[in-house]
Amino acid sequence: MDFRRIEWLFLVAFIVIDIFLFAAFQRDTSGETDTTSSRSADSDTTIIKEMRADEITFSAPSKKSGEGYYISTTNDASIKSSLTSLSDQTVRYQTDGTIASTFKTAITGVDTKHPDKTLDTVVNNGALILNGTNYFYNSQLSSRNTVVYTQHVTDGQIYSRYGEIRFSLTNDGQVTGYTQGYLASVATLREKTETISERKALIWLYQYNQIANNTKIVWTKLAYTRYFTLKNSSVYIPTWVIAVKANSGNNAGVLQLKHVNAFTGAILTNDSNVKTVSGTSTTSN
């Protein structure tokens, strides 16, 4: 029995069902009367006011819808065989398909406020980083002691450790090593589809009690995160990643990443929490 073929049949069936449900949602939405649409807009405005009354601070969210794809990737074993091409470091291939490396000589003189000035050159050096030209510095996910580069695919960025380079940065500006995840054989599974707006994502997050009172929305980003995975492949979808930080209480100083499926509005569960001492620190799934 061809188990690989069965896996893909399940994958395609799952996506078809997801697309059908989303299309039904869109059809129901587009079939509303102008009066209903007006009431919905008024309701959203009311909820935004309620959020501010609950001392949730944020910039005015965009009402504009976006676009995105379902994208698939495969686990590329060739990255393991490519490790021998890297120099001046001790590197190992990990069981989850990522690599971890320690430089034999630390990179010094890195500006902790603008680490990309030095690390852009490192990332684009094929002798030090594999496929580095596919990554770009990400200030949102970076902190004082972790510098993050995210992989760009199709029309967006990967906000997941499986598509990131994460450099360890000391307080005196030394980079001692890094971890890297790389998504190979990226392909779109269907045509580009409309996504919900930033405003809708915030409202639904609030309505599902995922944003506490006296909280600050630090930033929001429409990016790709992993939806599900099979044995040798994964599917990524557009996701509203919303960074939330409590202003007081036991969670003060903790940055929490909330994830909202940008196609359906469903709340995803791969949140991350990391206490911050200086700057913004996060992890990704």
Side-chain angles (χ1 to χ4, degrees):
M1 183 177 294
D2 189 346
F3 289 101
R4 176 66 173 167
R5 184 177 181 183
I6 292 173
E7 280 186 347
W8 275 106
L9 287 173
F10 275 114
L11 170 63
V12 171
F14 182 89
I15 293 172
V16 168
I17 292 171
D18 204 31
I19 292 170
F20 172 78
L21 293 174
F22 178 66
F25 170 80
Q26 290 289 82
R27 184 175 61 252
D28 291 343
T29 301
S30 62
E32 293 177 345
T33 64
D34 291 340
T35 301
T36 303
S37 297
S38 177
R39 287 176 180 172
S40 177
D42 290 343
S43 176
D44 287 352
T45 300
T46 299
I47 294 170
I48 290 293
K49 290 180 179 179
E50 290 176 359
M51 293 175 68
R52 295 197 186 280
D54 286 337
E55 297 184 311
I56 299 171
T57 58
F58 51 91
S59 301
S62 173
K63 302 177 185 179
K64 185 178 180 181
S65 299
E67 292 182 317
Y69 297 96
Y70 285 90
I71 61 173
S72 67
T73 69
T74 58
N75 297 339
D76 188 2
S78 66
I79 193 171
K80 184 176 182 180
S81 60
S82 299
L83 298 183
T84 55
S85 66
L86 297 174
S87 60
D88 300 322
Q89 58 193 283
T90 301
V91 60
R92 66 183 184 279
Y93 186 79
Q94 305 188 112
T95 55
D96 63 356
T98 62
I99 64 175
S101 177
T102 302
F103 292 120
K104 293 180 179 179
T105 302
I107 298 170
T108 59
V110 179
D111 185 342
T112 55
K113 293 183 178 180
H114 302 285
D116 52 313
K117 291 182 178 179
T118 300
L119 294 180
D120 278 356
T121 302
V122 175
V123 169
N124 288 303
N125 184 341
L128 297 176
I129 303 290
L130 294 175
N131 306 306
T133 56
N134 294 321
Y135 298 82
F136 295 89
Y137 173 62
N138 189 305
S139 60
Q140 288 182 331
L141 296 179
S142 297
S143 67
R144 182 177 180 85
N145 296 115
T146 304
V147 183
V148 180
Y149 280 70
T150 49
Q151 184 179 349
H152 282 226
V153 297
T154 313
D155 62 342
Q157 302 176 56
I158 299 294
Y159 272 43
S160 162
R161 64 190 180 90
Y162 296 103
E164 294 174 353
I165 302 171
R166 304 177 70 88
F167 291 99
S168 300
L169 178 63
T170 64
N171 291 333
D172 59 354
Q174 294 189 54
V175 169
T176 56
Y178 66 91
T179 60
Q180 180 183 5
Y182 178 69
L183 303 184
S185 303
V186 176
T188 58
L189 297 177
R190 67 185 302 269
E191 69 275 8
K192 187 174 283 190
T193 303
E194 185 178 356
T195 64
I196 64 172
S197 67
E198 175 189 24
R199 191 184 197 213
K200 277 293 186 186
L202 277 177
I203 286 172
W204 285 348
L205 205 60
Y206 173 73
Q207 289 183 310
Y208 279 98
N209 298 317
Q210 294 296 307
I211 306 178
N213 295 353
N214 194 19
T215 294
K216 180 179 181 180
I217 307 299
V218 181
W219 53 260
T220 64
K221 179 68 176 179
L222 184 61
Y224 284 95
T225 64
R226 192 166 66 166
Y227 195 24
F228 63 89
T229 185
L230 297 174
K231 183 178 180 181
N232 293 309
S233 59
S234 299
V235 170
Y236 286 72
I237 58 169
T239 303
W240 278 106
V241 184
I242 300 173
V244 179
K245 184 158 61 175
N247 293 321
S248 61
N250 294 332
N251 289 328
V254 175
L255 191 74
Q256 188 174 40
L257 299 188
K258 300 290 186 175
H259 298 74
V260 180
N261 184 325
F263 284 146
T264 66
I267 308 302
L268 304 178
T269 58
N270 53 340
D271 294 345
S272 304
N273 298 278
V274 174
K275 289 187 179 296
T276 60
V277 177
S278 176
T280 299
S281 180
T282 65
T283 63
S284 301
N285 296 313

